[in-house]
Every structure is written in C-alpha cells, then in structure tokens.
Amino acid sequence: MTEPSTTHISPAHTTTDAATGAATGALTWRGGRLYRHGVPHRILSGALHYFRVHPDLWRDRIRRLADLGLNTVDTYVPWNFHQPREGEAPRFDGWRDVERFLRTVGEEGLDAVVRPGPYICAEWSNGGLPSWLTGRDVAVRSSDPAFTSPVGRWFDELVPRLAALQACEGGPVVAVQVENEFGSFGDDRAYLRWNRRALAVRGIRELLFTADGPTELMLDGGTLPGTLAAVTLGSGPDAARRLLAARRPDEPFVVAEFWNGWFDHWGKRHHVREVESAVGTLRGILAEGGSVSIYMAHGGTNFGLWAGANEDGGRLRPVVTSYDSDAPVAEDGSLTAKFFAMREVLGAPGPLRSTARPPTLPAARLPLVHRADLLAGLRAVPAPVSTAPRPASFEQLGLDAGMVLHTAHPRVPAGEHRLLLTDVRDRALVFRDGTLLGVADPDSPELPLHGTGEVVRLDVLVENLGRVNYGPGIGGHKGLLGPVLVDRRIVQGWDSVPVALQEWSAAELAAAVAPGPAGTRAGFATAAFPVGTPADTFLALPGSSRGLVWVNGFLLGRYRETGPQVTLYCPAPLLRAGENTVTVLELERLGAALELRERPELGPPEEYVEEFG
C-alpha cells in the first residue's frame, strides 16, 4: 500500500530534534546522555517475549525481571504469530494479547520497549515474517512495494495499539525500534526510511531507534540520520562505545541486546556463559552511563512449531524447543546464579518478591500406550487433497509448519532401482506400500527401491524442521521442491495432503489417536496421570527417537534423542486438577515410558560468547 499523505512526522527524524531524540516522548538525549522527562536516566532493560511465556505467567515473569533490578521490559512482536493466514485478520486475544502484556508491564511499574519489526530474527520461525508472504516472489526486507504494502496493512492493525500505550498517552511504552538489525542483512535506506515513517504516521511519538552489530559494515547499512543508533553485542562493549562515539558523538551508548547467553541447535551442545564473563561485560556496558537490554533476561519456550533455524554451510540447523538461553531467569522462572550476580551489579533495591524456584510435580514414570501407526493416524485427520503432476510445496498448500503427506503410484520395473528426492526441505520418511523404506534429506537424498513390475504406493512424509530466521535464507520454501526420480524417470501424479499439526483441534488430535491397533514402532501414543494442584513439570521420553508432544491438546514442542535438550518444560497452567493426557507423535521409534521429572535437563554444556571480528 502507498503511505498516506500526512504532515505528522516524528520529531525523532527531523533536523531540529536530531540532537535531542524524540522531543515529545519520555526519553530524550543530548550531549551523549539519555534523559527521562528531563532527568538523567539509564535504561536497564531485559528481553521477555510474551509469545514464549504462558499468559498466566506474564506477571510472575515481569516481577522477576523487576527483582533483577531492571526498570524496563522489551519485547518483539512476531507478525506470523498474530496473522498466520493472509485471508484472516490478525489476532490480538489470548496468548496474542500484546496490549495486555504491555499493560501488565506498566502495572508492575516498569517501562516497555517494543520491537515490531516486521522482521524480528529472535530464533523464531521465518524471523517473524509470515510464510504466506515470503512464499511469493518478493524482495523481503526491502522497499519493494510487494513487501511494504502488506507490512503497511499489518502496521495499520498493530501500531495504533502500541501508540495508545505510549508514555505520552499514560502507558508504559517509551521507545520503539525501527526494523531489526537491518545492517546485517541489507543496505536499502529507502526501506529503513519507509519503516521509520510507517511507525510515525501511525502515531508513534516516543523515542525511535535502530539496533545493529557494532561494526562499520552493519552500522552503515542499518542506521538513519536523526534516529538513535543502538548496538547489539555479546562482548567488547568498550570497542563498541568508541565506534559509536566516533560516528555519533552526541548520542548515548545504548546496547539494545546484550547476549549474556545463547540459544541451542538440535544435535549440538547446550550453550552457556560463565557468570563472571557475563557480569564483566555487563559492567563494561553500564560504565559511563551506558544503557542495556539483557537478551534474554527470561528466554521462555519455543512452544509448538515456532522454533526457527539457521543455515551453516548450506545445512539447516534447527533451534531446539527450549529458549532458556542461559538467562538469569531460567525457562521455568528459576532464579539462577547469574540472576543474583547481575542483581548486585544492577543495584537492585529491597528484598525479592519472587520465589527462587516455582513448585514442581513429583517425579513419575508413566507407561506410553501406542494407539495408532503413523500413516494411519495422519490419514484419520480430515484434510484437503491437492492433486497435480508435481508434489505441492508447503507454500502452495498454505501450510506454514508441520508436514505434508505426498502419495503417488508409479510402476516400478523388476529389479533394483534408486529413488532420488532431488530437493527435499527438510526431511522425508519414505514408504513403499506402507512399509518404511528410509529417511531422505538434503545430505542423503537417495534410497534403494526394489521393483516387481507392479504399481506401488509411494508415500513421502515431508517434515518442515524450522524456517530460517537469520540471513539470506529467510523465506526459503519447504517441501518436495524438486522432482522425485525412479532412476532417470520423474514420478508424476501426486496427491499432497497438508498435516497442520500446529493447528490441530482437540477433536483432530483425538482422531489421529483413534485408528489402532498399532503394528509399527512409530505413530501416536498417549499417557495419562492425575494432578492434585497443578505445578510445573519436565517431560522426558527415554527410548523414543524424535517427534512431538501435546499436553491436554496443547502442542508443547519437539523432542529428539540427539539432544542436547532432554526434557520439555510444561508450565503449570497447561495442567488441570484431575486427569491429564499427554499425546506423543513419534516418527521413528517409540519408547516404553513418559517420565515427569522435577528439574530440566538441557544437555551437556558448552561455553559460548558471541563476538564480532
């Protein structure tokens, strides 16, 4: 959409106010200092994402950040979480009620910083961009009208809600970020200017700022004249301060993300950061009046299928379900040694209001009852069928996450042949006449296929392991993107059925469990357990290989025996007094039991500190 003509231009990007920040807002700056309503101020913020914390726990987690000694909470806003389908209006209710979250921040006496993107990175699927948009031929994060028009419509829905909660309107929001670390992606200044103006014309009058890595390359690409330039870093605050002072001598030093920990990938080790290392960098940031946002102060969980992925040498590296991030407030809300060390540095006053650790259920071992085989269970859930010469991609089916079941009926000559999936994203289980042939992925795309001269039923179950959230791979498509070959011949004539696991209702989940009896090692299983007073617990599946877990119909997330994550955090609000049911979708090898554990197990640790060269 074309931006409406208006004379309402944010003071943060006028020549007159370039040296003082947003003159109409709570936060201003001049002479290298930050002020709040004219009084010298330092932002002591922590990242806490409402979309990674159960809404019933928002207030508890906000209070824990206040106990840490922070005066501000910052959060991203993931567009795809609010509007997963183009034809449906964005939702702002329940878990998506960002206004309620921000009001709660204010009620607890804290300021709020909002980062609406539309790109957020955050190790979140597709960096927060909807796959219905990135599935098109569009230049994402650019001034291409095919991108800015839908972003504008999204901002029409979102930004007025944020504007009504600004400090100048009596709310907690004191600053809003322009895009997100754009300098590590591109250099389309017209797009950055569009983004800044899109916020201003929709009512943002508080401080606007950009955030980028502390290198010349990133600051060249991601900053705007007259808009405060913050940095993101895990180490080297002195070098970052010198670089910013040389480029923008009148601006205060603000670290919009201080990476005091790091996220994890499946198949790797659990990243941690030694307390003294993190605290030492925090001290360096705060020196000489510096401001900070601790990323993450509380990481939370990548519930459902919202975890993102990175690319490394062309290989996909999916992010685990936990977003604990070795934060001072752990995934379950526990106060860590890092919490108490940082609290001392931050000079937190008064006694703690929060318990050191939320209560948990007692440990238990429960039998898993195998209810239905994999293909039978999936086929029991009604879904539309798309028939075409080629397999349909996730994007063609309007499917963001989950799986697609493709079926074809090729005639295979007698003898031994090779079945080649030329471009599978990301992983496929391949069946011949209902029997598993094997697993295909980009590293191992070929499987042996024995023929008898008869027609066979070929089923290919493709799993999306996570959409890339950072770098040029954002927006990559998912599914069988290239031909399936029997030797040199293309298999044609496919039925493609979306398996929208993240959208399944309780009735659909029940249908998947119902077919029975099970005769393979994969498929759907359940376990039940009684609860008196709901409390947190940690689920483990010893002996199982890889799959997904639902608790009382809520999709908790993925598990893998490769680790590093062993347990899945189940917050108390997902449980109920009385009987509770856990449903497991195991893709390869189901174990015998589900365990409730009293403590998390995130895997063998590895020290990690992100550095810029």
Side-chain angles (χ1 to χ4, degrees), residues 48-227:
L48 166 60
H49 298 157
Y50 63 95
F51 45 93
R52 284 181 160 126
V53 177
H54 193 286
D56 290 356
L57 298 175
W58 285 348
R59 189 177 298 276
D60 174 84
R61 300 309 193 250
I62 292 166
R63 284 183 177 176
R64 290 172 187 270
L65 265 59
D67 277 346
L68 181 57
L70 303 177
N71 58 27
T72 306
V73 172
D74 89 63
T75 186
Y76 282 122
V77 180
W79 182 5
N80 56 2
F81 186 62
H82 289 267
Q83 192 181 20
R85 296 188 180 278
E86 181 180 18
E88 299 175 4
R91 288 180 54 191
F92 295 95
D93 59 342
W95 209 308
R96 295 163 175 81
D97 193 345
V98 62
E99 294 159 285
R100 175 191 158 202
F101 175 80
L102 293 172
R103 284 195 299 269
T104 306
V105 170
E107 288 165 5
E108 292 299 319
L110 303 180
D111 288 340
V113 173
V114 185
R115 310 167 77 188
Y119 165 78
I120 65 169
C121 185
E123 293 68 59
W124 188 259
S125 176
N126 220 32
L129 298 176
S131 58
W132 54 257
L133 174 60
T134 60
R136 304 171 185 166
D137 183 17
V138 56
V140 300
R141 304 181 72 189
S142 80
S143 53
D144 179 359
F147 181 70
T148 56
S149 291
V151 173
R153 290 190 289 272
W154 159 236
F155 277 9
D156 285 342
E157 298 283 347
L158 171 67
V159 176
R161 299 170 187 270
L162 305 179
L165 291 167
Q166 293 177 104
C168 58
E169 299 290 344
V173 177
V174 297
V176 176
Q177 183 175 290
V178 177
E179 235 275 349
N180 182 55
E181 296 182 312
F182 185 71
S184 61
F185 179 82
D187 58 6
D188 187 343
R189 288 295 185 86
Y191 167 60
L192 271 187
R193 290 192 297 270
W194 178 91
N195 189 291
R196 180 177 63 182
R197 179 178 173 84
L199 296 170
V201 299
R202 290 168 177 82
I204 297 301
R205 290 183 287 153
E206 297 296 334
L207 180 70
L208 292 171
F209 68 99
T210 58
D212 292 281
T215 71
E216 297 281 6
L217 180 75
M218 295 180 184
L219 293 171
D220 284 348
T223 58
L224 287 170
T227 299

Side-chain angles (χ1 to χ4, degrees), residues 229-428:
V231 292
T232 60
L233 54 79
S235 59
D238 292 342
R241 181 183 277 107
R242 289 193 298 270
L243 177 61
L244 278 178
R247 296 173 64 104
R248 297 187 170 225
D250 200 42
E251 295 185 10
F253 182 56
V254 178
V255 176
E257 291 184 15
F258 161 46
W259 308 315
N260 73 116
W262 205 245
F263 55 91
D264 296 337
H265 293 123
W266 290 113
K268 302 297 182 179
R269 296 176 76 87
H270 170 48
H271 290 133
V272 299
R273 183 165 181 182
E274 197 270 334
V275 171
E276 278 307 311
S277 168
V279 167
T281 300
L282 179 60
R283 286 194 185 99
I285 294 169
L286 297 179
E288 301 176 34
S291 290
V292 68
S293 182
I294 298 169
Y295 191 99
M296 298 293 296
H298 172 61
T301 308
N302 294 314
F303 292 113
L305 302 177
W306 290 110
N310 295 100
E311 285 185 323
D312 180 11
R315 286 182 170 83
L316 192 75
R317 303 297 187 204
V319 174
V320 303
T321 301
S322 172
Y323 201 62
D324 178 84
S325 304
D326 196 34
V329 179
E331 181 179 14
D332 67 335
S334 293
L335 308 182
T336 67
K338 189 179 289 183
F339 173 95
F340 291 102
M342 286 188 169
R343 188 173 194 265
E344 183 177 349
V345 172
L346 293 167
L352 291 173
R353 294 182 298 167
S354 307
T355 59
R357 186 167 183 263
T360 59
L361 297 179
R365 183 177 173 89
L366 311 167
L368 273 174
V369 181
H370 197 172
R371 301 288 186 181
D373 284 330
L374 178 59
L375 292 182
L378 295 178
R379 290 196 177 108
V381 179
V385 180
S386 173
T387 301
R390 296 185 297 181
S393 70
F394 277 62
E395 292 71 27
Q396 289 169 330
L397 294 170
L399 183 64
D400 177 66
M403 305 175 185
V404 176
L405 180 58
H406 304 280
T407 303
H409 298 85
R411 185 180 298 276
V412 182
E416 303 304 321
H417 304 274
R418 67 175 195 142
L419 182 69
L420 179 65
L421 282 63
T422 60
D423 190 2
V424 57
R425 306 298 173 92
D426 299 304
R427 189 174 188 269

Side-chain angles (χ1 to χ4, degrees), residues 354-574:
S354 307
T355 59
R357 186 167 183 263
T360 59
L361 297 179
R365 183 177 173 89
L366 311 167
L368 273 174
V369 181
H370 197 172
R371 301 288 186 181
D373 284 330
L374 178 59
L375 292 182
L378 295 178
R379 290 196 177 108
V381 179
V385 180
S386 173
T387 301
R390 296 185 297 181
S393 70
F394 277 62
E395 292 71 27
Q396 289 169 330
L397 294 170
L399 183 64
D400 177 66
M403 305 175 185
V404 176
L405 180 58
H406 304 280
T407 303
H409 298 85
R411 185 180 298 276
V412 182
E416 303 304 321
H417 304 274
R418 67 175 195 142
L419 182 69
L420 179 65
L421 282 63
T422 60
D423 190 2
V424 57
R425 306 298 173 92
D426 299 304
R427 189 174 188 269
L429 298 175
V430 183
F431 301 83
R432 175 217 163 115
D433 295 329
T435 300
L436 180 66
L437 283 178
V439 177
D441 60 28
D443 290 331
S444 304
E446 185 176 324
L447 294 169
L449 178 63
H450 178 75
T452 64
E454 300 297 322
V455 171
V456 302
R457 180 187 181 102
L458 188 65
D459 291 302
V460 182
L461 180 63
V462 179
E463 182 183 6
N464 168 2
L465 297 178
R467 293 183 181 270
V468 172
N469 58 260
Y470 180 82
I474 296 167
H477 294 196
K478 298 292 185 177
L480 287 179
L481 305 183
V484 176
L485 306 178
V486 175
D487 296 333
R488 69 178 64 190
R489 191 187 74 203
I490 297 175
V491 178
Q492 295 178 305
W494 291 88
D495 289 341
S496 300
V497 178
V499 183
L501 299 167
Q502 191 155 258
E503 302 169 28
W504 275 5
S505 65
E508 288 170 320
L509 185 60
V513 172
T520 69
R521 303 184 72 187
F524 291 86
T526 61
F529 60 97
V531 169
T533 301
D536 290 353
T537 189
F538 303 88
L539 307 184
L541 289 154
S544 292
S545 177
R546 60 188 298 152
L548 300 95
V549 174
W550 287 259
V551 175
N552 293 328
F554 176 84
L555 182 53
L556 203 60
R558 289 185 169 97
Y559 66 89
R560 284 199 204 177
E561 66 177 349
T562 58
Q565 182 176 358
V566 176
T567 58
L568 293 176
Y569 170 56
C570 176
L574 294 179

